[in-house]
Amino acid sequence: MFTHLLSRCRLGRRTGRRSRSDQRDGIVGMFPGNEFFTPEQELMLEGGESRPNICIIGGGIIGCFVAYWLRVKHYQGEIAIIERDFTYSRSSTPLAAGGIRQQFSLEPNVKLAMDSYKFLAELQFNLKNLSLAEGEQPPSISFNPQGYLLLSPREHIERVTDNLDTQRRCGASIELLDEGQLSNRFPWLNTEGLAVGTYGLENEGWFDPWLLHSAIRKELSYTQGISFIKGNAENFELEEIPSSSNPDKYGRTTYHVTRMSARAEDGSQFYVRPVEAFVNCCGAWSGDLVARLQRSLPPGSAPVLPIPVEPRKRFIYVVHCPDGPGLDFPFLVDPSGVYARREGLGGFYLVGKSPTEEEEPDHSNLEVDYRFFEEKIWPVLANRVPAFEKLKVKSAWAGYYDYNYFDQNGLMGLHYPFSNMLVATGFSGHGLQQSPAVGRGIAELICDNSYKTIDLKCFSPTRFLDDKPLIEHGIF
């Protein structure tokens, strides 16, 4: 499937990497609260056209990890990341709760999480080039190793045991606790209505998403020669592939994406013409990019394979409860979907819950609905952890899920019917925690023509066309 990409990867090579001083000369500003800013326009040629080998659309955490793993795999071609907002104020990455867990029902999701945890646990080694280049301490992401505690009623026991078998088969260390064991281990917990809980003994926890994103962007810009270009993708130019006169099983013509037009902050237009491939890492707005691809097709063409992803707004509340659980408080998930985790050591906690379809809030803004906390979250928390009856809300924010409304699982692979457009999106709330392994998977497709580390073919976007949803029971 990816032979055309592989052959082009071998042809397009950089003649040399910039010196570190040259890399720093490209920095022209600063992120709020950070030490660097990298809208490097150096690939822009006369006439407003950039010609990288790989163009990644979307500079969030997944797009950055695709670029990172391309370099780890010794890919020497030019890589450009197109990002419309260098403050990342509406990006899913920095607004997430920052948890990572192995407790999924599908084997590929368990393996993605385990592999990503390993990367994060070895982050200082993996980003060693950054510390050497900057003469500073290795990056910290404020990682807190602590298990998830998923609580379940009696009617879910069969599913819990099936999930546990899958997780343990993958090598995850998960403990099954009955109601009495839950009470003994976590005396602050009200076990009414519960039958069991599953508790991660290792390779779970939480971290600061903004610190991780900042660290990987530094690595890419300072030491890996990745160019960040500020702009908003608009339209595409396509070329029909002659061999497509024999339609495939879907009966559709195949196209090569030759050029993308984008709009700069000042309103001017520029173009990106990659030698090899585009990668759609637009997160919650991936579907918008697909709409632009559809508009670029010749009149009368069959519709582009939809990417069933849309933004869904989620609230995270910071609460304070001085008498609440201490260091033994895990990342707690109630059967209702209400979750809570400790934030530091001063009696602060992050809490939230995904709304039902009927409760979905307007996603046109990032305003917080405090009534949702009072009506849907606090009563559940106070019942499950009685100490939380006295909590007080201190602050809150809203962020976006790149919500896959087809089956709430990630979409990875070639975006049919385009020969050189790949996609990595739609992870519906677990993209951040799986991003290191997802980025490596896409890099393997580009460089090796197949997945090498974890078999991720089940995440192909064509499952939407085939109407074969991939059901994951560990989504909340």
Side-chain angles (χ1 to χ4, degrees):
M1 181 184 292
F2 299 98
T3 305
H4 61 283
L5 282 180
L6 187 62
S7 62
R8 293 184 181 189
C9 287
R10 289 168 177 161
L11 291 173
R13 299 293 181 185
R14 285 165 39 134
T15 56
R17 189 167 290 181
R18 293 172 295 152
S19 69
R20 288 173 181 163
S21 61
D22 289 341
Q23 292 164 17
R24 293 192 185 95
D25 288 343
I27 300 169
V28 297
M30 200 172 262
F31 280 112
N34 277 267
E35 308 155 13
F36 72 104
F37 181 52
T38 56
E40 300 172 56
Q41 304 280 349
E42 65 181 52
L43 288 182
M44 205 63 66
L45 304 178
E46 185 175 349
E49 184 169 271
S50 168
R51 294 186 181 180
N53 295 81
I54 302 290
C55 175
I56 299 168
I57 309 170
I61 196 68
I62 289 180
C64 286
F65 270 117
V66 171
Y68 171 85
W69 283 107
L70 284 169
R71 284 290 186 252
V72 170
K73 293 181 69 62
H74 306 293
Y75 179 85
Q76 295 298 311
E78 293 281 6
I79 302 171
I81 297 178
I82 307 295
E83 170 57 46
R84 64 181 178 182
D85 178 16
F86 281 122
T87 69
Y88 296 93
S89 60
R90 293 168 64 87
S91 170
S92 300
T93 300
L95 300 173
I100 181 168
R101 59 185 167 94
Q102 303 166 94
Q103 297 185 57
F104 290 94
S105 65
L106 293 175
E107 188 170 308
N109 279 329
V110 178
K111 290 181 176 180
L112 281 172
M114 293 181 68
D115 220 55
S116 294
Y117 186 97
K118 184 175 184 293
F119 179 92
L120 296 178
E122 299 171 353
L123 185 70
Q124 295 186 354
F125 171 79
N126 292 325
L127 300 188
K128 62 182 183 300
N129 289 334
L130 175 62
S131 58
L132 291 173
E134 294 306 299
E136 60 185 27
Q137 292 298 314
S140 168
I141 58 172
S142 298
F143 194 87
N144 188 96
Q146 188 94 22
Y148 270 67
L149 178 61
L150 274 57
L151 305 174
S152 300
R154 187 164 303 280
E155 56 266 29
H156 291 171
I157 287 182
E158 183 177 356
R159 179 179 294 174
V160 170
T161 54
D162 288 345
N163 294 350
L164 195 59
D165 288 344
T166 299
Q167 295 153 12
R168 289 174 172 172
R169 189 168 58 247
C170 293
S173 182
I174 310 296
E175 184 177 14
L176 180 65
L177 303 171
D178 61 26
E179 184 179 358
Q181 292 170 320
L182 285 170
S183 295
N184 292 334
R185 179 77 67 86
F186 307 107
W188 40 262
L189 182 69
N190 173 19
T191 60
E192 181 183 359
L194 301 178
V196 295
T198 52
Y199 182 56
L201 298 178
E202 60 183 20
N203 299 340
E204 294 188 331
W206 56 85
F207 56 92
D208 187 317
W210 177 256
L211 291 179
L212 175 63
H213 194 206
S214 298
I216 193 70
R217 293 199 320 270
K218 271 190 178 182
E219 171 78 1
L220 295 178
S221 176
Y222 284 156
T223 68
Q224 300 300 332
I226 308 298
S227 295
F228 285 73
I229 302 175
K230 189 170 186 179
N232 191 24
E234 289 194 331
N235 296 300
F236 296 86
E237 296 177 12
L238 309 174
E239 180 180 281
E240 184 175 333
I241 297 178
S243 60
S244 63
S245 57
N246 297 315
D248 61 15
K249 69 174 184 176
Y250 301 110
R252 299 189 181 188
T253 302
T254 304
Y255 295 92
H256 186 78
V257 185
T258 58
R259 192 166 79 156
M260 177 186 77
S261 65
R263 188 72 57 182
E265 189 175 25
D266 63 3
S268 61
Q269 191 175 48
F270 64 91
Y271 298 90
V272 182
R273 187 189 296 273
V275 177
E276 294 156 23
F278 287 95
V279 187
N280 178 354
C281 296
C282 294
W285 291 271
S286 298
D288 292 348
L289 192 74
V290 175
R292 297 181 186 116
L293 280 165
Q294 180 66 55
R295 291 197 300 267
S296 303
L297 287 173
S301 300
V304 173
L305 169 64
I307 296 297
V309 175
E310 63 186 17
R312 294 280 182 99
K313 187 164 70 172
R314 298 292 180 262
F315 307 116
I316 296 180
Y317 305 87
V318 181
V319 302
H320 186 234
C321 184
D323 299 325
L327 287 173
D328 68 333
F329 191 65
F331 200 123
L332 181 71
V333 183
D334 184 78
S336 65
V338 170
Y339 68 82
R341 73 161 175 85
R342 183 170 46 79
E343 177 72 353
L345 302 174
F348 289 92
Y349 305 84
L350 297 188
V351 303
K353 178 186 185 295
S354 290
T356 64
E357 286 290 331
E358 296 73 25
E359 296 167 345
E360 281 291 346
D362 174 20
H363 65 259
S364 64
N365 59 67
L366 286 176
E367 295 178 1
V368 174
D369 182 354
Y370 286 92
R371 189 174 63 180
F372 184 75
F373 171 81
E374 294 170 358
E375 296 179 357
K376 303 297 182 179
I377 297 178
W378 194 6
V380 176
L381 278 177
N383 175 67
R384 189 61 63 202
V385 183
F388 282 157
E389 180 68 39
K390 299 178 181 179
L391 64 75
K392 293 184 178 180
V393 177
K394 292 298 183 180
S395 62
W397 69 84
Y400 291 114
Y401 274 10
D402 55 338
Y403 190 81
N404 176 353
Y405 53 83
F406 179 60
D407 61 13
Q408 292 81 63
N409 261 303
L411 298 159
M412 294 179 61
L414 201 62
H415 184 189
Y416 182 85
F418 304 105
S419 65
N420 63 332
M421 173 69 78
L422 294 99
V423 62
T425 187
F427 292 89
S428 306
H430 49 276
L432 172 67
Q433 61 180 288
Q434 296 181 344
S435 58
V438 168
R440 184 175 60 190
I442 295 296
E444 288 173 349
L445 287 183
I446 292 173
C447 295
D448 303 318
N449 201 30
S450 64
Y451 295 115
K452 296 296 184 181
T453 309
I454 305 173
D455 186 355
L456 302 172
K457 292 192 294 293
C458 63
F459 293 116
S460 170
T462 57
R463 71 180 189 273
F464 182 67
L465 205 58
D466 296 331
D467 194 25
K468 294 181 178 179
L470 188 65
I471 304 301
E472 167 61 62
H473 297 296
I475 301 294
F476 45 80

